[in-house]
Amino acid sequence: PVTPVARAPNAEPATARGAAVALDMRRIEAELRLLAQDYPQVFPRLLSLERSFDAESKSTAMRHLGQRIGAWVYKRDFALGAHLAPADALRHVAVQALRPLVQVEAHAANALRIRNSPFVVAGKGTQCNCHFFSGYLEALLKEASGNTASVAVRETQCRGVGADACVFEIHH
């Protein structure tokens, strides 16, 4: 039995919100095929998709796209290798996977620096907005280490808010 949910007058019904999220996910899944065909020239399509999401769903949608593409790239290019320790996975998988996309370098044992993120709009932001790369790195590193539960990536610096590069810290 389904229990009705009380809602405020004029509030959007939960089913409508759920349908909107499902619709976005269907659209994302459809776009993934096209992104795979275009890879590594994915940024025009990704930037267009990013602009199409509302402010509420943009970070989640872009992170999800990054996770899906990162997992696909790992399986396509790196899956035959052994599972690696986190620092080795960072250097030998994440950096190598990102090189066709952006200028990247390992930064310490648990961080990456991206100098030319296409998601940065200088002077237009007050927060980090490279959600795609956070998801992409998370998926790559989870797959590479064989540890699917405990890899988290957080953007700690962004060129869009004045840093000289976007920096992503990896936590295991």
Side-chain angles (χ1 to χ4, degrees), residues 105-146:
E105 62 188 83
H107 180 69
N110 70 331
L112 285 174
R113 293 170 54 91
I114 295 176
R115 296 196 180 278
N116 62 331
S117 171
F119 300 104
V120 169
V121 180
K124 296 260 183 176
T126 57
Q127 61 187 13
C128 298
N129 58 0
C130 298
H131 309 289
F132 171 81
F133 288 122
S134 294
Y136 185 92
L137 288 166
E138 242 174 40
L140 278 170
L141 295 170
K142 283 179 181 181
E143 296 285 342
S145 68

Side-chain angles (χ1 to χ4, degrees), residues 2 4-6 43 46 49 61 86 104 116 131 133 138 140 152 163:
V2 176
V5 176
F43 292 122
L46 282 173
L49 274 168
V104 62
N116 62 331
H131 309 289
F133 288 122
E138 242 174 40
L140 278 170

Side-chain angles (χ1 to χ4, degrees), residues 38-103:
D38 294 346
Y39 197 86
Q41 305 303 322
V42 294
F43 292 122
R45 187 174 301 281
L46 282 173
L47 292 169
S48 176
L49 274 168
E50 182 186 48
R51 286 188 298 271
S52 74
F53 295 118
D54 63 34
E56 269 184 45
S57 61
K58 185 182 296 194
S59 64
T60 302
M62 293 307 292
R63 190 175 195 102
H64 177 75
L65 278 162
Q67 289 168 339
R68 291 296 307 275
I69 293 172
W72 173 74
V73 167
Y74 178 83
K75 289 172 184 163
R76 185 188 75 169
D77 297 343
F78 301 97
L80 295 178
H83 289 148
L84 300 171
D88 291 332
L90 184 73
R91 283 191 315 275
H92 299 296
V93 174
V95 169
Q96 300 307 316
L98 281 167
R99 281 209 170 122
L101 301 173
V102 290
Q103 296 172 357

